[in-house]
Amino acid sequence: MRMRSPFFPLRIAAAAALAFCLGALAPSQQNAPSKASDAIPVHFTDIRKSAGITWKQDSTNSDQKYYLETMGTGVAWLDYDQDGLLDLYLVQSGATDAYKPASPLHSALYHNNGDGTFTDVTAKSGVGGEGHYGQGVAIGDFDNDGYPDLYVTGYGSAILYHNNGNGTFTDVTAKAGVADSGQWSTSAGWFDFDKDGWLDLVVLNYLQWTPANNLWCGERAPGYRAYCSPNEYHGQRIRLFHNNHDGTFTDVSDKSGVGLPEAKGMGVVLADFNNDGWTDIAVANDTWPNFYFRNNHDGTFSDESLLSGLAASEDGRYEAGMGIDAADIDGDGLVDVYITHLDFELNRLYHNNGDGTFTDITYSSGIGNKAVTLSGVAAKFIDYDNDGWPDIVQANGAMVDNVRLYHSEISYEEPLLMFHNLGKGKFEKVSDQMGPDFIHPVAGRGLATADFLNDGAVGVVINCRGDYPELLRNDGGNSNHWLEVLLIGTKSNRDGIGASLKLTSGGVTQVLQAEGGTSYMSASDPRIHFGLAKRSVVDSLVITWPSGQVDKLQNIAADQIIAVKEGVGIVPHPFPRVPRR
């Protein structure tokens, strides 16, 4: 994360500038959802206290201003016990040479009780990671046994927890060969890059920073020392681990091409950007060109970052990329990309042109400079009002805790951000309409979205640096109709990551993908969520699985969660609706 203060120059990527001024917003499909009469009032309520979540993130602040301290940590939703209710995992930091907490720090797993409350089951489950300086988390069923596993990134190493299916987990990092030892891993994501039916793992690494090479940055006056810029340090390399189908993985980083360029990786999204049926990789890098790796279908990837237009902003800047997500914002059947940046930069929206290139449409989309004084960290596409268009929710918070000494107009703690999709990729800022809990200032870091009440209203959890998390319940979003789909792969990977879902209802068609990664060091609801506006019946749902299997379902009632098994169709699965307290 670049720390914005007067002594850090802005890097200009002159060599790439011409690649990002091409193209215009592609026309949307005529059958895309309409906004007419679909608008409903929605606000968010923080229910953390009543839900019983008492865990608190430790900022590990020290007078040494270790670069590591400012990162914050991630958060994930997962149904670890397969009872149909989404549980919550919160990643914790750890002790350092300069910071010794009064008691050992640990991450936390909270079980969803189905009554609006959560119970801390960390000790029983064995996923506390005590002594590990955690960063992010990725959720995936790597052994296809029907239970989601956890990969927790961190400084110096990562941890792979295998879900035993009985409420406990086992640390299988050494056996699996995915420790990422000696690296500083941030975000990670599960996906089946070679379509062999088993999930592989991509791990982002950040900087070659250590306590020994920690620099003094900022003015040499009491209270003015600041966190340094990533420009002061060399980057590390991304790692790609191939699943060997036996509980072990092989490092194919260099062979695949993904691990060749120097990186300063922060966020990753795994999606099929060119609609060829194979999952590609997009990475948000910090003050470094963003990456776009196109899947070559043979176990390798082509680095098309510069040619694609994703590497830099429209004016050729390599900005402080952190959070990233992908969705079809305008109904043209192609997934577009959103990347967050720090204050005095812009959060960038890139339109997918369908020819291997992307165009920076930040201004033409209406996003523009409406959040220029906020430091965007994590972001997720979310259809918060179920009108059929993906909106954008974003966690913000400055990186420098004493930022006011350098910029009096900037606050360390900042409100969340919501951009409402007006239709066909045009957005307006509606944060102030989301309620006082939504705009309560926090030092936002990890963010994940989920329908944790199973009632069709997608909520948000934010892991806040040095503070309690925020658990935001969506009040009003399910006034419009909706459908959620849990994928159960058979020939494909169990999670169905890489599947494409085409839904038609009342003459309106939506296409969504089961993506990997997303946001910033976090993992969201694995179920695919469709907003249906005023339409109460799904005429057809066509699922194209990574294996090539195509399942077609018809006449599905709205306002429910369904489980679809590859090659079978809808199968029984509990999804208890949680009462609102």
Side-chain angles (χ1 to χ4, degrees):
M1 310 171 187
R2 182 164 56 209
M3 313 309 168
R4 296 293 299 175
S5 50
F7 42 85
F8 299 133
L10 185 67
R11 287 192 61 165
I12 304 298
L18 292 178
F20 311 99
C21 304
L22 304 175
L25 185 65
S28 301
Q29 294 177 338
Q30 292 182 354
N31 63 350
S34 170
K35 278 287 180 179
S37 72
D38 292 343
I40 56 173
V42 175
H43 69 274
F44 289 84
T45 303
D46 187 357
I47 62 170
R48 176 192 64 82
K49 290 182 180 180
S50 64
I53 296 172
T54 59
W55 178 93
K56 186 177 183 180
Q57 204 271 350
D58 195 312
S59 65
T60 70
N61 269 1
S62 75
D63 58 6
Q64 295 301 304
K65 293 291 182 182
Y66 277 2
Y67 197 105
L68 180 64
E69 298 167 4
T70 193
M71 300 284 285
T73 50
V75 59
W77 291 104
L78 72 159
D79 183 4
Y80 78 93
D81 56 355
Q82 291 298 287
D83 63 355
L85 296 163
L86 289 177
D87 311 299
L88 184 62
Y89 186 74
L90 297 147
V91 182
Q92 183 62 285
S93 53
T96 69
D97 294 344
Y99 178 79
K100 305 299 180 184
S103 57
L105 301 178
H106 62 81
S107 299
L109 177 62
Y110 278 89
H111 177 259
N112 188 334
N113 299 323
D115 60 359
T117 68
F118 291 76
T119 298
D120 187 338
V121 295
T122 309
K124 176 183 177 182
S125 64
V127 292
E130 188 175 309
H132 179 239
Y133 201 114
Q135 291 284 260
V137 55
I139 306 298
D141 182 0
F142 74 85
D143 59 350
N144 290 334
D145 66 353
Y147 289 89
D149 309 299
L150 285 84
Y151 186 76
V152 184
T153 63
Y155 180 76
S157 65
I159 303 174
L160 177 60
Y161 291 110
H162 174 256
N163 190 330
N164 299 320
N166 61 1
T168 69
F169 292 76
T170 300
D171 182 343
V172 296
T173 314
K175 175 187 175 182
V178 292
D180 197 35
S181 298
Q183 304 300 301
W184 181 357
S185 52
T186 54
S187 292
W190 296 97
F191 72 136
D192 183 4
F193 74 86
D194 58 353
K195 301 210 294 187
D196 64 355
W198 297 77
L199 288 179
D200 311 300
L201 178 66
V202 62
V203 181
L204 303 194
N205 290 308
Y206 190 36
L207 300 178
Q208 295 181 26
W209 173 91
T210 68
N213 67 12
N214 191 55
L215 302 174
W216 184 295
C217 292
E219 298 179 24
R220 290 186 176 270
Y224 276 79
R225 185 172 184 176
Y227 296 104
C228 292
S229 164
N231 290 327
E232 304 291 340
Y233 301 96
H234 291 294
Q236 295 186 331
R237 297 292 197 275
I238 295 173
R239 285 190 171 172
L240 180 61
F241 295 98
H242 179 258
N243 192 327
N244 298 326
H245 312 173
D246 60 0
T248 69
F249 292 77
T250 298
D251 188 338
V252 295
S253 308
D254 291 346
K255 178 182 177 181
S256 67
V258 171
L260 296 179
E262 181 180 348
K264 297 182 179 182
M266 297 294 271
V268 62
V269 62
L270 307 163
D272 180 6
F273 291 101
N274 57 1
N275 286 349
D276 65 354
W278 295 74
T279 304
D280 311 299
I281 304 171
V283 174
N285 280 311
D286 192 0
T287 67
W288 201 253
N290 300 316
F291 292 156
Y292 171 53
F293 295 108
R294 179 176 56 81
N295 194 323
N296 294 326
H297 312 174
D298 60 1
T300 69
F301 292 80
S302 294
D303 184 350
E304 300 188 353
S305 308
L306 290 172
L307 293 177
S308 71
L310 274 183
S313 65
E314 185 177 21
D315 52 355
R317 299 172 186 260
Y318 297 155
E319 297 175 309
M322 288 184 285
I324 187 171
D325 199 7
D328 179 6
I329 62 166
D330 56 359
D332 66 356
L334 297 162
V335 289
D336 312 291
V337 178
Y338 183 77
I339 301 177
T340 67
H341 298 103
L342 293 189
D343 50 64
F344 302 115
E345 298 177 340
L346 301 181
N347 301 300
R348 300 287 175 177
L349 181 60
Y350 295 92
H351 179 260
N352 189 336
N353 300 321
D355 59 0
T357 68
F358 295 80
T359 299
D360 183 344
I361 60 166
T362 302
Y363 274 99
S364 62
S365 66
I367 291 174
N369 62 357
K370 293 179 180 176
V372 70
T373 60
L374 300 179
S375 290
V377 182
K380 192 78 177 65
F381 284 106
I382 171 178
D383 188 358
Y384 74 87
D385 58 351
N386 284 324
D387 63 1
W389 292 99
D391 313 299
I392 299 170
V393 62
Q394 178 174 311
N396 307 290
M399 299 298 110
V400 179
D401 51 6
N402 55 359
V403 65
R404 280 195 177 275
L405 296 176
Y406 294 101
H407 295 286
S408 60
E409 71 275 27
I410 302 299
S411 298
Y412 172 59
E413 295 179 327
E414 299 173 341
L416 300 182
L417 182 68
M418 184 74 82
F419 283 114
H420 187 220
N421 192 332
L422 301 174
K424 300 185 179 180
K426 300 295 183 180
F427 292 84
E428 71 172 342
K429 182 181 174 183
V430 296
S431 310
D432 292 343
Q433 302 174 26
M434 300 292 103
D437 288 350
F438 188 86
I439 58 174
H440 171 71
V442 296
R445 294 300 187 258
L447 176 150
T449 60
D451 177 11
F452 56 86
L453 300 181
N454 283 346
D455 65 0
V458 181
V460 182
V461 63
I462 303 98
N463 207 343
C464 305
R465 180 176 181 249
D467 206 344
Y468 297 101
E470 288 195 322
L471 180 60
L472 298 176
R473 185 186 66 203
N474 180 327
D475 294 323
N478 54 10
S479 297
N480 275 329
H481 295 296
W482 53 277
L483 180 75
E484 291 173 15
V485 183
L486 174 68
L487 299 174
I488 302 175
T490 53
K491 292 182 291 185
S492 302
N493 66 85
R494 177 71 180 232
D495 294 340
I497 294 176
S500 175
L501 293 80
K502 181 179 180 180
L503 179 147
T504 301
S505 174
V508 175
T509 297
Q510 300 177 62
V511 179
L512 300 181
Q513 296 184 21
E515 300 173 352
T518 76
S519 190
Y520 168 79
M521 304 200 300
S522 299
S524 293
D525 193 334
R527 301 169 301 192
I528 311 303
H529 182 98
F530 290 92
L532 301 175
K534 305 304 179 184
R535 300 176 298 278
S536 60
V537 175
V538 172
D539 300 319
S540 69
L541 176 64
V542 179
I543 302 174
T544 303
W545 299 83
S547 67
Q549 168 74 30
V550 178
D551 290 330
K552 299 180 180 179
L553 310 175
Q554 293 181 321
N555 298 321
I556 307 168
D559 304 330
Q560 63 171 322
I561 308 172
I562 60 173
V564 180
K565 189 172 185 178
E566 181 179 10
V568 177
I570 298 176
V571 296
H573 195 288
F575 297 108
R577 183 162 294 196
V578 179
R580 289 174 175 256
R581 296 163 60 93

